[in-house]
Amino acid sequence: MEKGSFEVKVGLAEMLKGGVIMDVTTAEQAKIAEDAGAVSVMALERIPADIRADGGIARMSSPQVINEIQENVSIPVMAKCRIGHFAEAQILESLGVDFVDESEVLTPADEHNHIDKHAFKVPFVCGCRDLGEALRRIGEGAAMIRTKGEAGSGNIVEAVRHMRQVQKDIRSLTVLSEDELMARSKELGAPYSLVKQVAKLGKLPVPNFAAGGIATPADSSLMMQLGAETVFVGSGIFKSEDPPARAKAIVSAITHFDDPAKLAEVSYGLQTAMKGLDMAEIPEDQRMQERGW
Amino acid sequence: MKRVGVLGLQGAYAKHAAVLQRLDIQSIDVRSRNDLDKCEGLIIPGGESTTMTKLIEENDLYDAIIQFAEENPIFGTCAGMILMATHVEDDRVKTLNLIDITVDRNAYGRQVDSFVNELDVRTDGESFTMRCVFIRAPRIAELGDGVEVLASIDDEPVLVRQGHHLAAAFHPELTSETRIHSYFLTLKREMSIA
């Protein structure tokens, strides 16, 4: 019997497709998320919009909070650790979390190295802005990729930019001839074996989800139509005026992402979405997407 | 020719569609009663059974699937198996009562306990060994009369059939395996001959 293999890690990511992964900071929020139909919850200390507003160092959630969340919901529980902070990841693995997000939303612990994710039994998800970054993370052992967007902004523009970039990079690989792939691999800064695989498959070898700025059912549909296999929603739910109703509407929007009439129906009667930030209001050195490489 | 439906509310439905495609069977993503009318068999994929419970009810599919199941075969994997059971110890999940089994959710542990195992499978005329992927898998705790066991781990059943319905605790759609799906399609043929 084999446990913790790459196949089993990607297997869980496959099961999460078409579901919504919601950021939660307490067991109570986790319960609201599960009741609304979330497919998984992501435990973190503070939601991205608050991390942005409060400043300071953002770290892994406390083990106590993670345990409380695990005891209160039956869906998979994910948790974030800092980029390069393998000790936080080891602790999360020992707590039995189902997925670790090595996340740019928390303050990075290592500016040069990401975690060697092959060394763990627990699967990892990592953010990316383009294909090179996605393949570097998969090379390190990530079993799921999410485009970064700009967390806590309530603004979909960066999520769209990153998803379009990844899809464009993939499409352009598929038309290259075999003898052009090594040069492209060098440009992308990505492992040659993975570049060859993507050129052949026409898609990433692991599920590709979207994150960072999703606030409405329409945002969710947009990301799905651009090629996301599902979405992470962070601040968009618990920073809105009606978290349970909005959470439920986003769950339905993912199922019916290509049915505008249904999307109109699920959006009907929702209260105000989170206020959000224009990118011009976020100085470049405060953009979370710049963390990691 | 009518098509095999894959319940496309949430989960690994695209993987099942890919297996059917390898077997030259047309599939359709089922998200409404209307979609169901176009099918002559239905696969309920893996995913989260709590999420699928909500989406089945919201899309008015609960009674529709039960009615469809009287005439047509259904195959559930993992969360799909949970939904097909007669009983599950969790009021977050509303089952369809299609196979007489009692199921415990996530009974083999959390994701770090997910595993791959080689298992012997016995279908009607055939027996073979295959790699089976178990992800936060459910366990069949009780088995009713008339439920046939086609594969087990130690003494615990993981692939069962009752009448024209089939359920697996594991994920044949995650490997290159097509034999379980082929077997499911024969259940379909037996039905249409009868």
Side-chain angles (χ1 to χ4, degrees):
Chain A
M1 187 184 292
E2 83 193 57
K3 289 188 182 182
S5 62
F6 194 64
E7 184 180 25
V8 161
K9 292 173 176 176
V10 176
L12 178 57
E14 294 287 349
M15 296 309 130
L16 300 172
K17 283 184 179 174
V20 181
I21 302 151
M22 300 183 191
D23 277 2
V24 297
T25 55
T26 63
E28 193 190 356
Q29 286 183 351
K31 199 83 197 88
I32 292 171
E34 185 178 57
D35 287 345
V39 79
S40 174
V41 289
M42 171 75 72
L44 72 175
E45 198 184 20
R46 289 173 287 166
I47 58 172
D50 290 335
I51 292 173
R52 191 179 289 290
D54 301 350
I57 302 298
R59 307 180 178 90
M60 163 186 98
S61 226
S62 83
Q64 186 189 337
V65 170
I66 290 168
N67 263 330
E68 282 169 14
I69 292 171
Q70 287 171 324
E71 279 162 22
N72 275 276
V73 298
S74 61
I75 51 179
V77 175
M78 305 190 182
K80 287 185 193 288
C81 74
R82 287 178 265 179
I83 290 174
H85 206 315
F86 54 84
E88 282 189 348
Q90 289 161 350
I91 293 169
L92 293 174
E93 181 176 61
S94 80
L95 291 170
V97 306
D98 297 292
F99 239 102
V100 174
D101 184 359
E102 185 185 19
S103 177
E104 70 282 2
V105 169
L106 306 184
T107 313
D110 188 328
E111 293 183 339
H112 293 288
N113 306 293
H114 284 252
I115 295 171
D116 170 18
K117 293 164 272 286
H118 288 298
F120 289 77
K121 267 205 223 165
V122 66
F124 280 75
V125 51
C126 290
C128 75
R129 288 162 298 177
D130 54 36
L131 181 63
E133 195 172 7
L135 296 184
R136 287 189 290 278
R137 298 295 85 76
I138 296 167
E140 292 158 355
M144 185 205 294
I145 288 297
R146 55 172 178 76
T147 43
K148 284 178 172 173
E150 185 58 33
S153 70
N155 186 342
I156 200 67
V157 68
E158 295 301 300
V160 168
R161 189 192 317 282
H162 299 157
M163 185 58 73
R164 281 204 182 270
Q165 188 64 48
V166 170
Q167 301 295 358
K168 192 166 104 184
D169 290 345
I170 292 174
R171 280 196 304 274
S172 72
L173 266 192
T174 60
V175 298
L176 294 182
S177 62
E178 188 82 18
D179 60 3
E180 293 172 309
L181 292 176
M182 182 59 90
R184 186 66 185 131
S185 161
K186 185 186 173 198
E187 288 161 9
L188 287 169
Y192 178 55
S193 60
L194 290 173
V195 169
K196 279 203 298 188
Q197 203 180 342
V198 171
K200 196 173 156 208
L201 286 174
K203 62 193 287 296
L204 291 180
V206 304
N208 181 20
F209 296 179
I214 294 154
T216 66
D219 289 345
S220 315
S221 165
L222 178 64
M223 295 316 299
M224 293 291 282
Q225 292 189 59
L226 287 173
E229 293 174 298
T230 200
V231 298
F232 287 79
V233 187
S235 316
I237 289 170
F238 289 101
K239 277 290 167 191
S240 75
E241 288 183 3
D242 51 352
R246 183 160 296 267
K248 196 162 172 276
I250 291 178
V251 170
S252 298
I254 292 294
T255 297
H256 299 288
F257 73 93
D258 57 357
D259 180 347
K262 199 86 186 170
L263 291 166
E265 188 189 315
V266 305
S267 306
Y268 200 84
L270 287 181
Q271 292 174 43
T272 313
M274 73 180 281
K275 183 159 174 280
L277 293 165
D278 190 273
M279 291 309 292
E281 296 175 72
I282 311 173
E284 280 190 25
D285 62 351
Q286 289 175 30
R287 293 184 185 173
M288 291 171 177
Q289 60 179 279
E290 302 297 331
R291 297 164 166 179
W293 53 275
Chain B
M1 184 188 131
K2 279 184 156 189
R3 292 168 287 190
V4 174
V6 183
L7 191 64
L9 299 173
Q10 188 273 316
Y13 51 86
K15 288 277 170 188
H16 280 287
V19 178
L20 292 172
Q21 196 181 15
R22 290 205 292 277
L23 293 168
D24 275 331
I25 300 291
Q26 256 196 317
S27 72
I28 178 171
D29 290 346
V30 173
R31 300 195 174 102
S32 68
R33 281 171 171 260
N34 200 17
D35 296 333
L36 205 51
D37 290 340
K38 300 171 196 156
C39 308
E40 53 183 19
L42 179 71
I43 296 177
I44 306 179
E48 278 304 313
S49 54
T50 51
T51 304
M52 281 197 240
T53 292
K54 288 183 203 316
L55 291 167
I56 285 172
E57 296 214 295
E58 199 182 298
N59 290 283
D60 208 15
L61 281 165
Y62 186 78
D63 292 334
I65 293 173
I66 291 174
Q67 202 185 348
F68 179 84
E70 287 175 16
E71 300 287 326
N72 301 280
I74 302 200
F75 175 28
T77 57
C78 196
M81 180 181 91
I82 297 171
L83 291 168
M84 289 177 77
T86 42
H87 191 68
V88 57
E89 286 289 345
D90 192 331
D91 58 12
R92 287 174 279 215
V93 176
K94 187 175 170 190
T95 63
L96 297 157
N97 304 315
L98 301 177
I99 294 187
D100 190 7
I101 48 174
T102 297
V103 171
D104 290 337
R105 298 178 61 213
N106 308 329
Y108 294 93
R110 299 182 189 280
Q111 173 60 16
V112 288
D113 299 307
S114 291
F115 60 94
V116 182
N117 214 346
E118 295 268 340
L119 295 180
D120 295 324
V121 176
R122 291 175 310 280
T123 58
D124 292 336
E126 221 189 337
S127 78
F128 53 89
T129 304
M130 63 176 271
R131 295 180 74 240
C132 300
V133 182
F134 292 78
I135 309 286
R136 286 170 43 94
R139 172 180 275 145
I140 298 175
E142 283 172 50
L143 209 57
D145 297 337
V147 181
E148 186 187 350
V149 177
L150 307 178
S152 309
I153 290 185
D154 301 326
D155 283 332
E156 289 177 350
V158 294
L159 178 66
V160 296
R161 170 193 165 174
Q162 184 169 28
H164 51 279
H165 299 316
L166 183 68
F170 56 93
H171 295 280
E173 77 282 9
L174 290 184
T175 58
S176 55
E177 189 58 59
T178 53
R179 286 173 290 188
I180 305 285
H181 286 77
S182 295
Y183 176 64
F184 172 61
L185 295 170
T186 67
L187 299 180
K188 185 183 86 155
R189 272 204 296 277
E190 278 172 22
M191 279 288 298
S192 53
I193 289 164

